[in-house]
Amino acid sequence: MTIRVLLADDQAMIRASLRIILEDQPDIAVVAEAGDGVEAIEQARRTDPDVCLVDIQMPRLDGIEVARALAGTPARVVMVTTFDLDEYVYGALRRGAAGFVLKDAGPRLLVEAVRAAYAGDALISPSITLRLLRHLADRGARTTARAPAPPLSARETEIVQAIARGRTNQEIADELFLSLSTVKGYVSGIMDKLGARNRVEVVAWAWESRLVDPG
């Protein structure tokens, strides 16, 4: 099936670049574009995309409010931005965003974020994941370890540690000599066990459970 994507960014050049990257993939089609947040919501309701790539800072309505407005629809929102400030990350995830990717993360990660969102997963740029881990480390002295979740297997523990270091599913597959589909299955099972909604929550659990060293 073809993944239908809406692009929302106030810079036409950025939208054009994203379109070129995505439409180079045989399973992705850009069905609409928007230059501001209000137009993004209107286009999403008109064209019924599977995934919306939305910039954080746009005229009339920002990306976080777009994510909030589309939270009750089938469309999955992935934030694509040059900004990685904590308030944006936390705000976007709280509003139901299905991913958070920096514009300089590279084409492969952008495509993987679209496919992950379509599959019902969430992907966060590795650089953001690592910085959030450091944020958790900074407050670690004021918190106690979380009660253990249902036991993880040795392989599941390896994958949690890789996620906490910012690895993508493909990178985990390459490092552990597994197929991509096998890694996706492990990640889905891990999130179910931990009750995690996205990869950032897996990272938080890994730190609080002392499975990783943020250094």
Side-chain angles (χ1 to χ4, degrees), residues 136 139-145 207-208 210:
L136 289 168
R139 74 179 191 186
R142 302 190 300 273
T143 62
T144 57
W207 164 244
E208 293 173 0
R210 308 298 190 258

Side-chain angles (χ1 to χ4, degrees), residues 172-189:
I172 294 172
D174 293 342
E175 290 176 3
L176 299 182
F177 303 101
L178 299 172
S179 70
L180 182 58
S181 61
T182 297
V183 171
K184 289 179 178 178
Y186 272 118
V187 172
S188 177

Side-chain angles (χ1 to χ4, degrees), residues 145-165:
R146 178 181 294 187
L152 300 181
S153 68
R155 179 64 83 190
E156 287 172 331
T157 299
E158 282 184 299
I159 290 174
V160 167
Q161 291 169 330
I163 292 172
R165 296 187 183 103

Side-chain angles (χ1 to χ4, degrees), residues 11 33 45 69 141 155 164:
Q11 297 185 51
E33 295 185 16
R45 291 172 176 166
R155 179 64 83 190

